[in-house]
Amino acid sequence: DDSTMSSGQDFTTRWTLKNNSSTTWRADTIDIVIAGGDRMHIGPDARDLPYDVGASGGMVDILIDMQAPDRSGTYSEYWSLVSGSKQICQFFVTIKVK
């Protein structure tokens, strides 16, 4: 977060999420969806969880390809892990464009 990017620079954001719940996050029922902010991601607004994540401590890496906006400033994009209409957690990235 708060990395400085050049205008139009391609980058990949990586989040590591930990499942602190008592239920497994199943890849066939959990989605990664855009939740708001400044559009920087490349590709779809919703993606499948890449694999099942075990309860009580399982971890998953989420990687999203992005591109810095063309104008200088500070930009943030928010994502959520959801199951149906229930939000499990939200995560974000903030960058500065020079």
Side-chain angles (χ1 to χ4, degrees):
D1 285 332
D2 289 325
S3 294
T4 300
M5 304 281 176
S6 298
S7 171
Q9 179 179 341
D10 290 334
F11 63 100
T12 300
T13 298
R14 176 184 181 161
W15 297 274
T16 301
L17 305 179
K18 183 176 181 178
N19 182 353
N20 290 322
S21 74
S22 59
T23 22
T24 296
W25 292 345
R26 293 179 37 146
D28 62 347
T29 60
I30 305 271
D31 293 312
I32 305 155
V33 298
I34 189 71
D38 305 296
R39 183 179 176 94
M40 294 184 283
H41 68 279
I42 298 167
D45 292 347
R47 296 138 195 261
D48 294 330
L49 191 66
Y51 49 84
D52 292 350
V53 180
S56 301
M59 299 178 83
V60 61
D61 287 328
I62 307 295
L63 290 98
I64 305 284
D65 291 327
M66 300 191 171
Q67 185 176 53
D70 290 332
R71 294 185 178 181
S72 62
T74 301
Y75 298 90
S76 297
E77 187 171 88
Y78 300 85
W79 288 80
S80 291
L81 209 59
V82 298
S83 177
S85 61
K86 179 184 175 189
Q87 180 178 317
I88 297 169
C89 67
Q90 190 173 76
F91 43 100
F92 69 96
V93 60
T94 298
I95 66 165
K96 295 176 182 174
V97 177
K98 56 181 175 175

